[in-house]
Each structure stands twice: as C-alpha cells, then as structure tokens.
Amino acid sequence: MWNHSSPRRLAAACAAAAAAARRRYSRASPPQATAIRVKNHIASVGDGEPKEGPKPRQLLSLPPFPSHPLPAFSFKEASSSSSSSSSSSSSSSRVTAISWVKYYFHGVQNSVVQSHFNKGLVQMECAPSDDSCPGQQGQRKSLRKIKPNEVMEAGARLCMPVSIAESRISRRFDTIPSGTLYPNADEIQYLQRLVMYRDSAVIVLNKPPKLPVKGNLPVHNSMDALAAAALSYDYDEGPKLVHRLDTESSGLLLMGRTKESVAHLQWLFSDMKKTDSSFQAWNDACRATNQRYWALVIGSPKEKEGLICAPLSKVLLDDGKTERVILARNSGLEPFQEAVTEYRVLGPTINGCSWIELRPHTSRKHQVRVHCAEALGTPIVGDYKYGWFVHQRWKQMPRVDFEPTTGKPYKLRRPEGLDVQKGSVLSKVPLLHLHCRELVLPNIAKFQEFLDQKSEAPRPVLSSKSHMLRFVAPMPSHMKISWNLMSSYLV
C-alpha cells in the first residue's frame, strides 16, 4: 500500500541533501561569480574574472632636489602644509613634495598635481639605507610612494608619469607676422601676447618657432626689428637682444630695455671669466643664472645624465658660403671654442625617441644641437642640418619599444585627424623639437641702482626671493603634441 507521506519525506530529504551539498561546495570551492555587461544596449554574461590592473606609465624623472634655496619660489604652500605648531621660521625653510612638483611644473594646474598625489602616482627613489622601500628589481632603482606633505631633502629624486605635463592642444596655430620694419596693429598685438614678463630693466618673451631673432638685409620680420618697433611701451627706444635662439627653436628670449641693463645682461651671458664684486648678493645671483632646454632626440644617450665637454669649431662647406659648426679636432691647427653642456634624460625611449633636459654652461652657436647630434649621437628631432642621415635611418626603423619593468611593448596613441599632427613627431617632416623652457637670472631692476654706484658704500642685504627671477615657458603646439604622444600608456 502506497504511503502518501513518502513523497513529502523524499522531497524534504532531497532538499536537505542539496542544501548540504551547496554548503559543502561553498566551503570547499566557492562557485565562480558571473558578471553581466551591457554594451550598446546588449547584455552579455562574462566569466567574472577580475579585470587587469592599470598598466604602468612612462615615468618622468625630476632633477635632484637642490640644497640651495629655490629662486623666486613662494613658500606659501610649504608653510600651509606644515603643522600649526611649527614656527614661521622653520616652515619657511621646509619645502614639501607637492610644492617641489608645482615649482618644477610651473603652469600645470594645481588640481592635476594634487590628483597625481591622491592616486599614488608620485614616487621617490629610495636611498640605500631606506628600509621602507621594496627590494630592488635587477638594476632598476626601487621607488616608494611619497605623501604630498613630506619634506624634501637635498638630493632626493621624484618620479611620476609624464602625463602630469600633458596639455590640451589647440587646433588653431598662430601665424608668424610677415610685416616690414613698421608692424601693423595685428602684428603689434601678436608680439605683445608673447611677452611673459616686463619691468623697468628687462622684457622676457616666449619666442615661437620659425621666427628669426637677429635680422639681416633680406629678413625684415626678425624679433629684434619687430620688438624695437612694437615693444618700446613707454620708453623712447625699443628693447635690445642680449642672447639669441635659433630660428627653428622656441622658448624664452631675454631683452634689455636700457643701456645699463643690456650691458649687465650681455656680461652675464658672455663666456668671459667673471670676477667677483664686493656685492655678495650679486655674486650669488650670477652663479645661480642658468638656462634649461627640453629636446626630443632620436634614440637615447647611453648614460642617463652627464656633462659634455666638447669644443666646437666653424667650417665652410664647398659652396664657400654655408657655415657649419662641428666638434673640434685635437690637431691644434684650427681655432676652436670651449663648449660645455649638462644633460639629463627625462624618461624612457618611446617610438625611437626620448626626452632630455639640457643646460648649456657656455653660449656657443648651435652648441646644444651639435652636442646632441655628434657628442651624444642622438640628434634632435627636426634638426636636419646636423642629423639628416640619422633622420633617414630613423624613418625606416621599426618603432617597437618596451616598458622597462614589465617588458611589455608600448602602443602609441595617435590623435584623430591630420591637423593636430602638424610639425609633431608623427609628421613626415617634423619641426625642430628644441625649446628653451626655463630661465633663472638676477633681478636686474633690483640690482641696478647698487651696481651703478662707484663708491664702496655698504651694500644692502636682499632676500633670496627678491634678487632672483625664474621663468618657465610652455612648449609650442608641435612639441605639446609629441609630448602627449610620448606619454601614451601601455595598451
């Protein structure tokens, strides 16, 4: 006889067995989760595998933190980041990591710098005695994350993704004025937009590429001629050049507004042996004067940083008119000039090129270009005068570069459209990628009255903030495009 309660007991037993099986299964090996993804209004079931973490970015290396006070640096941020119990004297001598990054990348928005710190992308090279750093991987220096309020010490190096200096590219390119010695209203406005700083002694401009600096008979729209006509402002005469930049290069150009300031600046940028004066503040300011260039070169130097001491000489080509600068031979038969350039590699080699920072210690014609092409063997992109053969070979090279830590290949991001590739590293004929980015010099307007005194009266003591000027010029559009391309991430 069939028992009506048996099916119920059997169903209950099966349910209990299934629950026990589920419990045993969940304890031993949890079931794999499923993920539902929606794309273009179409749902799909994924395998639930965790997403791959962020790919490593190319790292940009900052120079070692200097032991001397930073020129024209405001310690407002450093003071605000210190604790309220610290005294004002102690906080003024403390520079935090975020203040140092903002100082070096002058012009980058504070929110961008803060975002890189919040994401933990800013790292510092570990000292050998630092126990907080992970073990070194091969020959690569180990890095550790740094907090924005950590105080910088002399010699410390920071590394961060090169994306921190990325910038938006305007699709509108400025046109170079093509007027005569008497510029019109549009050309005057164009030149005045180039002015970054002006006081009673100097004018600092951000020179665009392809604009000649020193004019001759067939060149009327040179910078000196146009500035004399358009940048006199309230002075009777226009400013005068105190140093030069190549026509194809760009960056900071310094001009003196008075005869006295022109004389002091020409002496400052000359290569003659300078003797110390009785004014100690002026001597310190002169020793701190420097120019720093950023350049994109083909290849990468063997050493990441160094000092190039290679004298230069001038030769005439077969046509008897064209002059060329070459490395001097040690024959002793030809005249030469001493030339010294300090260099530092900013990041890894991407697309067959690398960014380097150059600081010339002497002022020779085409010094930076010749030292890059012949001394380092890495000519500047767009320098066809000193790197023509390397450019031809570089165009035929396979452009595959690998990330140094993981060994994975980089993939270059290419912008949409051809208009934003004008003159960049993607162009068939790139423009010269050489830019005078940073200029540090004495505040001539502050020193003027004391330098003109002939008596040996006691000199006043000037603060380090007032007797030095520092300028940082943004790169031109074609170099910004190349920088954004070179800062592409692993894909």
Side-chain angles (χ1 to χ4, degrees):
M1 184 176 181
W2 180 259
N3 190 353
H4 295 282
S5 62
S6 297
R8 296 179 181 176
R9 288 197 299 269
L10 181 61
C14 291
R22 284 197 299 269
R23 285 196 297 269
R24 287 195 300 270
Y25 182 77
S26 62
R27 291 172 183 171
S29 175
Q32 194 174 20
T34 59
I36 300 177
R37 300 182 179 88
V38 179
K39 184 177 181 182
N40 296 332
H41 304 286
I42 300 176
S44 60
V45 179
D47 54 3
E49 294 182 358
K51 293 183 179 180
E52 190 176 356
K55 300 291 182 64
R57 303 291 297 265
Q58 292 92 317
L59 293 181
L60 173 68
S61 174
L62 269 64
F65 185 75
S67 57
H68 55 78
L70 300 177
F73 176 70
S74 174
F75 291 90
K76 182 177 180 181
E77 292 135 347
S79 301
S80 61
S81 61
S82 59
S83 61
S84 58
S85 60
S86 301
S87 62
S88 60
S89 60
S90 60
S91 63
S92 62
S93 60
R94 295 155 58 92
V95 181
T96 59
I98 191 170
S99 299
W100 168 233
V101 174
K102 291 179 180 179
Y103 173 86
Y104 186 78
F105 293 106
H106 177 77
V108 177
Q109 295 182 0
N110 294 340
S111 59
V112 176
V113 178
Q114 186 67 51
S115 175
H116 279 71
F117 274 97
N118 294 341
K119 296 177 181 178
L121 300 177
V122 182
Q123 299 174 303
M124 185 174 68
E125 291 186 2
C126 297
S129 59
D130 195 347
D131 299 333
S132 62
C133 293
Q136 292 189 359
Q137 302 176 357
Q139 297 181 351
R140 184 175 176 83
K141 294 183 179 180
S142 56
L143 303 173
R144 71 172 180 86
K145 295 181 180 180
I146 185 171
K147 297 180 180 179
N149 59 349
E150 286 192 37
V151 179
M152 297 296 298
E153 297 181 358
R157 286 179 179 266
L158 297 184
C159 298
M160 63 204 66
V162 294
S163 58
I164 194 172
E166 285 186 356
S167 57
R168 294 183 179 180
I169 309 299
S170 174
R171 293 177 179 268
R172 179 180 179 182
F173 291 85
D174 291 331
T175 56
I176 298 173
S178 58
T180 62
L181 292 177
Y182 304 98
N184 54 37
D186 293 337
E187 292 174 340
I188 291 177
Q189 292 180 0
Y190 172 79
L191 289 171
Q192 291 179 351
R193 287 198 303 267
L194 302 178
V195 176
M196 296 185 60
Y197 176 81
R198 171 171 61 95
D199 61 16
S200 60
V202 301
I203 289 180
V204 179
L205 305 95
N206 186 10
K207 173 192 167 303
K210 293 187 177 181
L211 182 60
V213 173
K214 185 65 176 177
N216 47 34
L217 290 179
V219 179
H220 294 292
N221 62 331
S222 61
M223 179 64 76
D224 59 341
L226 292 173
L231 300 180
S232 59
Y233 295 100
D234 52 347
Y235 281 46
D236 296 334
E237 296 182 358
K240 307 294 182 183
L241 289 170
V242 295
H243 73 103
R244 299 184 183 182
L245 294 177
D246 296 338
T247 301
E248 298 85 0
S249 62
S250 60
L252 293 167
L253 186 66
L254 181 63
M255 308 185 80
R257 302 193 67 189
T258 62
K259 294 181 180 180
E260 294 78 12
S261 63
V262 170
H264 290 307
L265 291 171
Q266 287 179 345
W267 173 84
L268 186 65
F269 282 90
S270 66
D271 296 319
M272 64 172 53
K273 187 177 181 181
K274 302 177 177 64
T275 57
D276 292 342
S277 65
S278 59
F279 198 0
Q280 186 60 36
W282 170 253
N283 298 333
D284 296 339
C286 291
R287 283 191 286 268
T289 301
N290 66 83
Q291 290 176 285
R292 295 182 187 273
Y293 291 77
W294 275 15
L296 181 63
V297 298
I298 300 176
S300 180
K302 295 181 180 179
E303 301 293 335
K304 296 303 180 182
E305 57 185 14
L307 191 68
I308 305 172
C309 301
L312 305 176
S313 62
K314 299 178 182 179
V315 296
L316 288 177
L317 300 184
D318 296 337
D319 58 3
K321 298 179 181 180
T322 307
E323 190 177 65
R324 192 182 185 90
V325 181
I326 62 173
L327 294 182
R329 304 170 184 173
N330 296 326
S331 61
L333 301 178
E334 58 184 6
F336 64 89
Q337 292 178 318
E338 295 293 338
V340 180
T341 304
E342 183 181 354
Y343 77 93
R344 185 176 64 87
V345 179
L346 294 176
T349 302
I350 307 296
N351 199 37
C353 304
S354 57
W355 288 95
I356 63 175
E357 183 180 71
L358 301 144
R359 179 189 173 187
H361 291 230
T362 53
S363 302
R364 309 299 184 195
K365 182 179 180 180
H366 295 173
Q367 171 181 326
V368 172
R369 297 167 62 179
V370 176
H371 277 178
C372 286
E374 299 190 19
L376 295 179
T378 56
I380 301 174
V381 173
D383 189 0
Y384 305 103
K385 184 170 186 177
Y386 298 103
W388 172 253
F389 296 104
V390 178
H391 272 78
Q392 288 183 321
R393 189 166 62 252
W394 168 60
K395 291 295 184 181
Q396 301 171 359
M397 280 178 159
R399 303 182 185 181
V400 179
D401 301 288
F402 298 91
E403 205 278 327
T405 56
T406 62
K408 296 182 179 180
Y410 286 117
K411 184 176 180 180
L412 194 67
R413 291 184 298 178
R414 295 183 178 270
E416 297 180 359
L418 298 177
D419 51 348
V420 298
Q421 301 183 18
K422 183 177 180 180
S424 70
V425 71
L426 291 182
S427 302
K428 294 182 179 179
V429 184
L431 298 178
L432 182 67
H433 283 59
L434 178 63
H435 177 71
C436 182
R437 176 181 179 268
E438 183 179 355
L439 175 63
V440 178
L441 73 156
N443 191 342
I444 302 297
K446 293 283 186 181
F447 285 108
Q448 190 73 56
E449 55 181 317
F450 307 112
L451 294 175
D452 295 339
Q453 293 178 1
K454 296 183 180 179
S455 62
E456 295 297 330
R459 309 290 189 177
V461 179
L462 301 178
S463 65
S464 59
K465 297 180 184 179
S466 63
H467 72 247
M468 294 298 297
L469 296 175
R470 177 179 180 264
F471 307 98
V472 177
M475 292 185 291
S477 298
H478 70 280
M479 291 186 67
K480 288 181 180 179
I481 297 171
S482 299
W483 179 274
N484 291 355
L485 291 170
M486 305 296 277
S487 66
S488 60
Y489 49 83
L490 288 171
V491 179

